[in-house]
Amino acid sequence: MDLSGDVGHPDRLVPSLTMSDLDLDVVVLGGGGHVGLPLSLAFAAAGLRVGVYDTNRATLDRIGRGEMPFREGGAEDLLRDLLPTGRLQLSADVSIIGRADVLVIVIGTPVDEFLGPSMTLFEKTVEQVAPHLRDGALVVLRSTVYPGTTSYVAQAFADRGRRVDVAFCPERIAEGHALEEFRTLPQIVGADDPTVGDRAAALFARLGGEILRTSSKEAELAKLFTNTWRYMKFAIANQFLMVADQAGVDYTNVLDAIRRDYPRAADLPGPGFAAGPCLFKDTMQLAAFTSDHFPMGQSAMQVNEGMPAYIVSTLERRHGSLRGRTVGILGMAFKAESDDTRASLSFKLRKLLAWAGARVLCTDPYVQDDRLVPLETVLSEADTFIVGAPHRAYRALDLDNREVVDVWGALGGIRL
Ligand SMILES: NC(=O)c1ccc[n+]([C@@H]2O[C@H](COP(=O)([O-])OP(=O)(O)OC[C@H]3O[C@@H](n4cnc5c(N)ncnc54)[C@H](O)[C@@H]3O)[C@@H](O)[C@H]2O)c1
């Protein structure tokens, strides 16, 4: 496939397949994941023939049946429209990589037990894909990575005698909103060679958004800085809540006074559980990059991760002890209208409450987990309610005469 050309006019970038025996335009490694699957759908919707390569066969089976393995706005309908077209080929066999000359890699990039990046992750992936890549292929890293990973991966391929182009094009969608954001968000294309940048830009121009060109390390830092900035904003929001609470002041009123019709403070978020699979670990990746001297990022982590303990100690002070109390957690996902529980602080809260002696009942309309109970059970048995994820379904609950902790303000006002 020749994806090079005038990136400003994606309609003119119809793949020229007549000169090639390839039956796919792009393969997405990790194509069954929270980023890889929406991206695969978006490429296929843009007319590309996409190989969805993933080692998780159970996920591929679900996708093949037209079922999304997780909640993502509009994705299930699109998947069902696309499957009959044949433009999505699902495979757990690594050899599918040889059927295209573009590979997008979008695997999870967690931090290790020392809060640093996993250095072996990409080595293993290079090992896995190198024998199957076509000569001259374009490899795009789409995961959020430790700065320098793109050059490291390019070198690892070269060391194995593989001649491939490597670019870094970070994913910036918010889970649940991927399909709409692919159309509107600019795509950052980080490459250290203009020709490689042209190839990657041509691929992402198919999504329709503006293309921003940078070097690979600029793109790596742009992505980490973005997530760290968001994490720090949530941390100051949470810290302000704690300061106001300790001063005996209603933070709902303070926040309204700060933000209402005052544009310079409009970007102060409301408090809440700042968690999930990205912000914490990306802030820690950045901290590791600074030789572990990143006090602002590390403080943000302490504040955000400390919120469940703050809630539990507030309740303990109020009641003396939590032994004998039943506490209900409303929402176990890491954010509203999501079924993603990865790194959700609701689970940390559950553990701390149980440790403090409370009986804990957890519920969530979206999360499948045998440990959860129906909302009705929580409503009839709990003495105290804590909003863990501000799902819309909870807004209409009438809990006026009950003890409620709602740091999100989801039920009409911030309550601690
Ligand atoms: N989740 C988000 O909203 C989001 C947004 C922007 C960026 N990111 C970044 O994108 C990356 C991926 O995150 P995610 O949430 O999609 O992770 P995920 O765990 O949902 O998806 C990863 C997928 O890769 C598959 N996989 C893992 N190793 C593989 C291998 N060696 N070969 C083939 N398949 C393999 C897994 O089975 C899984 O389906 C991370 O770096 C993350 O920080 C995530």
Side-chain angles (χ1 to χ4, degrees), residues 166-245:
V166 184
F168 176 64
C169 305
E171 184 56 78
R172 302 200 295 162
I173 54 99
E175 267 182 45
H177 305 276
L179 297 179
E180 114 211 11
E181 292 195 346
F182 282 135
R183 284 193 292 273
T184 53
L185 292 183
Q187 295 291 329
I188 298 177
V189 170
D192 302 319
D193 173 312
T195 321
V196 178
D198 288 347
R199 290 182 79 185
L203 174 67
F204 285 97
R206 299 296 296 242
L207 299 179
E210 189 187 347
I211 300 289
L212 306 177
R213 298 281 291 262
T214 68
S215 71
S216 64
K217 201 172 265 181
E218 285 166 351
E220 290 166 344
L221 284 176
K223 175 65 195 179
L224 283 184
F225 286 169
T226 305
N227 279 6
T228 301
W229 169 230
R230 274 172 64 69
Y231 196 58
M232 286 166 56
K233 286 207 292 191
F234 293 139
I236 195 68
N238 289 332
Q239 184 92 73
F240 284 169
L241 166 64
M242 295 179 207
V243 172
D245 179 56

XYZ file of all heavy atoms in Angstrom, residues 166-245:
623
model
N 10.093 3.567 11.926
C 9.358 3.588 13.209
C 8.941 5.031 13.530
O 9.764 5.949 13.477
C 10.212 3.022 14.364
C 9.387 2.973 15.653
C 10.738 1.628 14.034
N 7.663 5.196 13.851
C 7.136 6.512 14.237
C 6.356 6.366 15.533
O 5.955 5.257 15.909
C 6.214 7.056 13.142
N 6.135 7.501 16.195
C 5.326 7.495 17.418
C 4.138 8.430 17.228
O 4.305 9.639 17.014
C 6.154 7.953 18.621
C 5.335 8.046 19.886
C 4.774 6.910 20.432
C 5.117 9.262 20.508
C 3.994 6.982 21.592
C 4.346 9.347 21.667
C 3.785 8.202 22.203
N 2.944 7.874 17.282
C 1.718 8.661 17.096
C 0.800 8.358 18.277
O 0.029 7.397 18.243
C 1.035 8.278 15.785
S 2.123 8.441 14.365
N 0.887 9.138 19.348
C 0.189 8.778 20.584
C -1.327 8.818 20.461
O -1.875 9.675 19.761
C 0.660 9.855 21.574
C 1.045 11.018 20.731
C 1.573 10.436 19.447
N -1.960 7.903 21.182
C -3.433 7.917 21.270
C -3.854 8.944 22.297
O -3.312 8.971 23.397
C -3.937 6.524 21.674
C -5.443 6.423 21.686
C -6.029 6.821 20.345
O -5.990 5.998 19.412
O -6.499 7.975 20.231
N -4.850 9.771 21.939
C -5.269 10.821 22.876
C -6.757 10.797 23.172
O -7.282 11.700 23.819
C -4.850 12.184 22.332
C -3.333 12.254 22.106
C -2.812 13.637 22.038
N -3.320 14.376 20.899
C -3.280 15.702 20.806
N -2.771 16.404 21.791
N -3.734 16.307 19.725
N -7.465 9.780 22.703
C -8.912 9.722 22.957
C -9.194 9.485 24.441
O -8.344 8.987 25.167
C -9.592 8.589 22.147
C -8.922 7.240 22.398
C -9.637 8.922 20.679
C -9.567 6.341 23.364
N -10.403 9.872 24.856
C -10.882 9.491 26.194
C -11.767 8.269 25.997
O -12.628 8.256 25.107
C -11.683 10.627 26.811
N -11.539 7.242 26.817
C -12.351 6.030 26.712
C -13.826 6.378 26.707
O -14.283 7.219 27.486
C -12.092 5.136 27.932
C -11.016 4.114 27.700
C -10.831 3.214 28.923
O -11.825 2.753 29.503
O -9.679 3.015 29.287
N -14.575 5.718 25.854
C -16.010 5.966 25.773
C -16.355 6.974 24.686
O -17.479 7.003 24.194
N -15.376 7.812 24.297
C -15.640 8.876 23.313
C -14.739 8.739 22.085
O -14.554 9.692 21.332
C -15.429 10.249 23.958
C -16.239 10.446 25.200
N -17.543 10.861 25.182
C -15.939 10.231 26.500
C -18.012 10.911 26.425
N -17.048 10.525 27.238
N -14.145 7.568 21.934
C -13.103 7.399 20.917
C -13.584 7.753 19.514
O -12.928 8.525 18.807
C -12.587 5.959 20.948
N -14.730 7.217 19.120
C -15.110 7.355 17.714
C -15.349 8.806 17.328
O -14.968 9.244 16.244
C -16.323 6.480 17.397
C -16.054 4.975 17.570
C -17.293 4.162 17.257
C -14.871 4.512 16.714
N -15.973 9.554 18.247
C -16.207 10.967 17.924
C -14.873 11.731 17.987
O -14.611 12.608 17.162
C -17.313 11.504 18.852
C -16.960 12.526 19.838
C -17.814 12.446 21.146
O -18.569 11.491 21.412
O -17.658 13.401 21.910
N -13.975 11.350 18.915
C -12.726 12.112 19.054
C -11.729 11.816 17.929
O -10.912 12.675 17.595
C -12.108 11.854 20.429
C -12.967 12.456 21.540
C -12.270 12.583 22.898
O -11.196 11.980 23.102
O -12.818 13.279 23.742
N -11.787 10.624 17.346
C -10.906 10.356 16.202
C -11.150 11.362 15.084
O -10.253 11.746 14.355
C -11.145 8.949 15.636
C -10.505 7.854 16.455
C -11.206 6.702 16.752
C -9.199 7.977 16.912
C -10.628 5.691 17.509
C -8.617 6.968 17.657
C -9.334 5.825 17.962
N -12.425 11.761 14.948
C -12.775 12.679 13.852
C -12.325 14.095 14.142
O -12.069 14.866 13.229
C -14.299 12.678 13.642
C -14.823 11.461 12.927
C -16.264 11.683 12.474
N -17.197 11.774 13.584
C -17.780 10.718 14.154
N -17.524 9.517 13.712
N -18.610 10.864 15.163
N -12.245 14.449 15.440
C -12.051 15.863 15.759
C -10.654 16.196 16.304
O -10.182 17.316 16.125
C -13.093 16.310 16.809
O -13.020 15.419 17.923
C -14.497 16.260 16.244
N -10.020 15.245 16.989
C -8.733 15.580 17.613
C -7.617 15.626 16.578
O -7.551 14.760 15.702
C -8.350 14.520 18.652
C -9.179 14.407 19.921
C -8.578 13.347 20.841
C -9.263 15.741 20.638
N -6.708 16.594 16.714
C -5.509 16.538 15.858
C -4.692 15.292 16.193
O -4.672 14.848 17.340
C -4.734 17.803 16.259
C -5.690 18.666 16.981
C -6.711 17.751 17.611
N -4.056 14.743 15.204
C -3.214 13.558 15.399
C -1.754 14.003 15.449
O -1.266 14.634 14.508
C -3.405 12.578 14.235
C -4.797 11.991 14.160
C -5.092 11.040 15.310
O -4.192 10.370 15.828
N -6.352 10.996 15.722
N -1.072 13.667 16.545
C 0.351 14.003 16.647
C 1.145 12.905 15.945
O 0.971 11.711 16.236
C 0.789 14.102 18.117
C 0.014 15.217 18.832
C 2.296 14.358 18.207
C 0.331 15.338 20.322
N 1.991 13.304 15.026
C 2.831 12.346 14.299
C 4.284 12.670 14.639
O 4.819 13.695 14.211
C 2.574 12.439 12.784
C 3.615 11.637 12.012
C 1.172 11.943 12.460
N 4.903 11.789 15.449
C 6.282 12.021 15.862
C 7.223 11.119 15.085
O 7.109 9.896 15.153
N 8.117 11.739 14.341
C 9.072 10.934 13.563
C 10.357 11.726 13.425
O 10.344 12.958 13.399
C 8.489 10.608 12.192
N 11.467 11.009 13.315
C 12.765 11.677 13.253
C 13.310 11.751 11.839
O 14.434 12.216 11.629
C 13.740 10.956 14.203
C 13.180 10.959 15.626
O 12.638 12.007 16.036
O 13.232 9.912 16.295
N 12.506 11.294 10.897
C 12.898 11.334 9.490
C 11.651 11.780 8.718
O 10.568 11.213 8.933
C 13.322 9.911 9.088
C 13.608 9.760 7.607
O 12.773 10.219 6.779
O 14.622 9.165 7.271
N 11.772 12.817 7.871
C 10.569 13.360 7.224
C 9.802 12.324 6.396
O 8.569 12.342 6.349
C 11.120 14.464 6.306
C 12.531 14.698 6.725
C 12.996 13.532 7.534
N 10.514 11.395 5.800
C 9.811 10.397 4.974
C 8.971 9.472 5.847
O 7.845 9.108 5.495
C 10.846 9.533 4.202
O 11.890 10.385 3.789
C 10.234 8.848 3.027
N 9.539 9.110 6.998
C 8.786 8.262 7.939
C 7.565 9.041 8.429
O 6.441 8.516 8.500
C 9.678 7.837 9.128
C 8.890 7.001 10.123
C 10.912 7.095 8.641
N 7.770 10.326 8.742
C 6.660 11.183 9.182
C 5.583 11.264 8.114
O 4.385 11.222 8.418
N 5.983 11.360 6.842
C 4.991 11.428 5.752
C 4.147 10.156 5.715
O 2.925 10.204 5.534
C 5.691 11.578 4.396
C 6.295 12.971 4.211
O 5.966 13.873 5.009
O 7.106 13.138 3.274
N 4.821 9.028 5.882
C 4.068 7.751 5.822
C 3.059 7.677 6.958
O 1.903 7.315 6.762
C 5.020 6.554 5.940
C 5.902 6.343 4.744
C 6.770 5.108 4.934
N 6.040 3.862 4.683
C 6.551 2.653 4.881
N 7.775 2.524 5.371
N 5.856 1.575 4.602
N 3.517 8.015 8.174
C 2.615 7.928 9.334
C 1.500 8.970 9.209
O 0.340 8.695 9.536
C 3.398 8.124 10.624
N 1.845 10.152 8.711
C 0.833 11.216 8.560
C -0.243 10.776 7.569
O -1.437 11.029 7.773
C 1.489 12.503 8.098
N 0.172 10.100 6.518
C -0.806 9.651 5.522
C -1.783 8.645 6.126
O -2.977 8.659 5.827
C -0.081 9.037 4.331
N -1.265 7.786 6.996
C -2.142 6.808 7.653
C -3.171 7.520 8.529
O -4.378 7.277 8.423
C -1.295 5.856 8.509
C -2.069 4.875 9.374
C -2.817 3.855 8.524
C -1.130 4.153 10.344
N -2.700 8.443 9.385
C -3.618 9.058 10.350
C -4.488 10.141 9.712
O -5.550 10.472 10.259
C -2.858 9.542 11.592
C -2.467 8.384 12.458
C -1.192 7.842 12.376
C -3.399 7.777 13.270
C -0.857 6.729 13.124
C -3.078 6.665 14.031
C -1.798 6.125 13.960
N -4.093 10.644 8.563
C -4.965 11.579 7.850
C -6.272 10.890 7.454
O -7.291 11.550 7.266
C -4.253 12.106 6.605
N -6.251 9.569 7.360
C -7.475 8.841 7.014
C -8.562 9.056 8.061
O -9.740 8.876 7.781
C -7.209 7.328 6.895
C -6.207 6.950 5.833
C -6.676 7.305 4.445
N -7.862 6.584 4.041
C -7.923 5.752 3.009
N -6.854 5.522 2.278
N -9.054 5.159 2.697
N -8.158 9.411 9.284
C -9.153 9.607 10.346
C -9.850 10.960 10.215
O -10.885 11.195 10.834
C -8.498 9.480 11.730
C -7.857 8.120 12.044
C -7.231 8.130 13.438
C -8.872 6.995 11.941
N -9.254 11.880 9.461
C -9.946 13.134 9.158
C -9.490 14.347 9.946
O -9.811 15.470 9.586
N -8.753 14.162 11.049
C -8.339 15.315 11.859
C -7.075 15.970 11.317
O -6.448 15.488 10.376
N -6.707 17.076 11.964
C -5.478 17.785 11.578
C -4.261 16.938 11.974
O -4.313 16.170 12.936
C -5.455 19.107 12.354
C -4.385 20.075 11.951
C -4.329 21.293 12.891
O -5.276 21.472 13.688
O -3.342 22.037 12.832
N -3.170 17.084 11.233
C -1.937 16.358 11.562
C -0.919 17.346 12.133
O -0.668 18.391 11.531
C -1.341 15.701 10.291
C -2.334 14.715 9.663
C 0.000 15.048 10.599
C -2.567 13.444 10.446
N -0.368 16.997 13.301
C 0.679 17.833 13.907
C 1.995 17.072 13.827
O 2.096 15.972 14.360
C 0.358 18.116 15.378
C -1.009 18.714 15.702
C -1.186 18.866 17.216
C -1.158 20.074 15.026
N 2.987 17.659 13.203
C 4.261 16.944 13.029
C 5.268 17.368 14.095
O 5.465 18.548 14.355
C 4.829 17.241 11.640
C 3.928 16.782 10.488
C 4.069 15.299 10.247
N 5.356 14.953 9.697
C 5.590 14.746 8.395
N 4.615 14.860 7.511
N 6.790 14.407 7.981
N 5.918 16.380 14.714
C 6.958 16.636 15.721
C 8.044 15.572 15.553
O 7.883 14.629 14.778
C 6.414 16.502 17.160
O 6.085 15.124 17.394
C 5.189 17.356 17.415
N 9.105 15.702 16.343
C 10.064 14.594 16.432
C 9.448 13.507 17.320
O 8.441 13.750 17.998
C 11.377 15.083 17.045
O 11.182 15.340 18.418
N 10.065 12.327 17.358
C 9.474 11.252 18.172
C 9.514 11.613 19.658
O 8.544 11.397 20.384
C 10.177 9.913 17.910
O 11.533 9.970 18.320
N 10.622 12.197 20.120
C 10.695 12.492 21.556
C 9.766 13.645 21.932
O 9.180 13.656 23.020
C 12.137 12.787 21.988
C 12.326 12.593 23.475
C 13.755 12.672 23.935
C 14.401 11.310 24.026
N 15.778 11.350 24.499
N 9.588 14.607 21.024
C 8.611 15.680 21.308
C 7.217 15.081 21.478
O 6.460 15.472 22.375
C 8.611 16.708 20.166
C 9.825 17.625 20.175
C 10.000 18.421 18.871
O 9.286 18.161 17.877
O 10.893 19.286 18.849
N 6.880 14.136 20.619
C 5.548 13.510 20.708
C 5.426 12.685 21.987
O 4.385 12.706 22.656
C 5.299 12.628 19.483
N 6.499 11.975 22.345
C 6.460 11.167 23.574
C 6.240 12.064 24.790
O 5.425 11.757 25.669
C 7.770 10.389 23.719
C 7.923 9.274 22.701
C 9.357 8.732 22.619
O 10.302 9.385 23.104
O 9.526 7.640 22.042
N 6.959 13.192 24.813
C 6.801 14.110 25.950
C 5.437 14.802 25.907
O 4.806 15.007 26.953
C 7.920 15.147 25.960
C 9.277 14.632 26.448
C 10.351 15.715 26.323
C 9.201 14.162 27.907
N 4.971 15.164 24.716
C 3.667 15.837 24.607
C 2.585 14.967 25.242
O 1.719 15.454 25.984
C 3.331 16.129 23.145
N 2.641 13.675 24.965
C 1.611 12.775 25.521
C 1.749 12.646 27.036
O 0.763 12.744 27.784
C 1.723 11.405 24.842
C 0.797 10.349 25.398
C -0.675 10.656 25.177
C -1.544 9.773 26.072
N -2.959 10.024 25.941
N 2.967 12.448 27.512
C 3.154 12.302 28.972
C 2.828 13.599 29.704
O 2.228 13.583 30.782
C 4.585 11.871 29.289
C 4.929 10.403 29.043
C 6.352 10.122 29.499
C 3.972 9.470 29.765
N 3.225 14.736 29.128
C 2.913 16.024 29.768
C 1.391 16.227 29.832
O 0.861 16.733 30.823
C 3.544 17.196 28.999
C 5.044 17.339 29.180
C 5.763 18.216 28.369
C 5.743 16.626 30.133
C 7.138 18.371 28.516
C 7.119 16.769 30.296
C 7.822 17.643 29.476
N 0.690 15.852 28.776
C -0.774 16.020 28.755
C -1.419 15.258 29.897
O -2.250 15.795 30.651
C -1.355 15.496 27.420
O -0.702 16.136 26.339
C -2.850 15.750 27.326
N -1.060 13.983 30.028
C -1.689 13.166 31.075
C -1.278 13.625 32.469
O -2.087 13.630 33.394
C -1.346 11.689 30.873
C -2.251 11.062 29.825
O -3.039 11.764 29.186
N -2.154 9.769 29.626
N -0.021 14.032 32.602
C 0.457 14.494 33.907
C -0.239 15.800 34.298
O -0.635 15.999 35.452
C 1.982 14.680 33.869
O 2.566 13.431 33.521
C 2.536 15.136 35.205
N -0.419 16.663 33.336
C -1.110 17.944 33.582
C -2.529 17.700 34.068
O -2.990 18.280 35.049
C -1.070 18.757 32.290
C -1.911 19.990 32.178
C -2.761 20.311 31.156
C -1.963 21.101 33.077
N -3.336 21.535 31.376
C -2.874 22.042 32.562
C -1.335 21.379 34.292
C -3.182 23.235 33.194
C -1.640 22.577 34.936
C -2.552 23.485 34.377
N -3.223 16.778 33.423
C -4.590 16.448 33.857
C -4.574 15.870 35.276
O -5.392 16.226 36.118
C -5.225 15.415 32.904
C -5.885 16.058 31.700
C -6.326 15.029 30.685
N -7.351 14.098 31.144
C -8.605 14.423 31.409
N -9.004 15.670 31.270
N -9.475 13.522 31.796
N -3.630 14.988 35.518
C -3.548 14.338 36.834
C -3.268 15.379 37.923
O -3.821 15.329 39.017
C -2.437 13.285 36.781
C -2.465 12.276 37.898
C -3.578 11.480 38.129
C -1.350 12.090 38.712
C -3.593 10.537 39.143
C -1.349 11.144 39.728
C -2.487 10.367 39.939
O -2.498 9.426 40.938
N -2.409 16.351 37.603
C -2.080 17.392 38.575
C -3.271 18.327 38.816
O -3.507 18.780 39.944
C -0.845 18.177 38.109
C 0.434 17.364 38.285
S 1.881 18.005 37.435
C 1.973 19.630 38.078
N -4.036 18.598 37.764
C -5.232 19.434 37.952
C -6.244 18.739 38.864
O -6.845 19.361 39.741
C -5.895 19.743 36.597
C -5.126 20.767 35.788
C -5.999 21.556 34.837
C -6.561 20.742 33.721
N -7.189 21.601 32.684
N -6.407 17.429 38.665
C -7.325 16.694 39.549
C -6.792 16.698 40.987
O -7.552 16.760 41.944
C -7.519 15.251 39.057
C -8.250 15.160 37.737
C -7.849 14.261 36.751
C -9.345 15.966 37.476
C -8.524 14.183 35.540
C -10.031 15.895 36.268
C -9.617 14.999 35.292
N -5.463 16.626 41.122
C -4.874 16.602 42.464
C -5.120 17.916 43.192
O -5.480 17.916 44.377
C -3.377 16.300 42.379
N -4.965 19.050 42.510
C -5.182 20.323 43.211
C -6.667 20.463 43.555
O -7.026 20.963 44.617
C -4.627 21.537 42.401
C -4.521 22.784 43.290
C -5.427 21.848 41.182
C -3.489 22.715 44.371
N -7.531 19.956 42.662
C -8.974 19.977 42.965
C -9.251 19.169 44.230
O -10.013 19.605 45.108
C -9.762 19.399 41.792
N -8.623 18.018 44.351
C -8.850 17.166 45.530
C -8.222 17.767 46.790
O -8.792 17.709 47.872
C -8.300 15.757 45.264
C -9.158 15.006 44.255
O -10.356 15.269 44.147
N -8.556 14.093 43.506
N -7.054 18.375 46.611
C -6.404 19.000 47.768
C -7.250 20.172 48.277
O -7.431 20.341 49.487
C -5.004 19.495 47.364
C -4.224 20.077 48.511
C -3.356 19.047 49.223
O -2.345 18.617 48.695
N -3.774 18.663 50.403
N -7.779 20.992 47.358
C -8.636 22.113 47.773
C -9.842 21.606 48.567
O -10.237 22.199 49.571
C -9.123 22.909 46.557
C -8.088 23.823 45.938
C -8.322 24.434 44.704
C -6.885 24.087 46.572
C -7.384 25.277 44.130
C -5.932 24.933 46.000
C -6.187 25.524 44.771
N -10.433 20.500 48.093
C -11.574 19.934 48.817
C -11.172 19.587 50.251
O -11.886 19.905 51.206
C -12.082 18.672 48.094
C -13.051 17.801 48.910
C -14.352 18.540 49.209
C -13.341 16.490 48.191
N -10.021 18.957 50.409
C -9.588 18.538 51.747
C -9.318 19.756 52.636
O -9.675 19.775 53.815
C -8.343 17.653 51.651
C -8.599 16.317 50.943
S -7.071 15.331 50.851
C -7.359 14.333 49.402
N -8.695 20.806 52.054
C -8.410 22.020 52.841
C -9.720 22.651 53.304
O -9.884 23.008 54.479
C -7.576 23.028 52.007
C -7.450 24.359 52.750
C -6.207 22.457 51.669
N -10.680 22.766 52.378
C -11.972 23.376 52.731
C -12.684 22.534 53.781
O -13.239 23.066 54.756
C -12.839 23.526 51.480
N -12.638 21.224 53.592
C -13.318 20.322 54.532
C -12.720 20.455 55.933
O -13.458 20.547 56.926
C -13.185 18.886 54.009
C -13.842 17.886 54.933
O -15.043 18.049 55.211
O -13.146 16.946 55.390
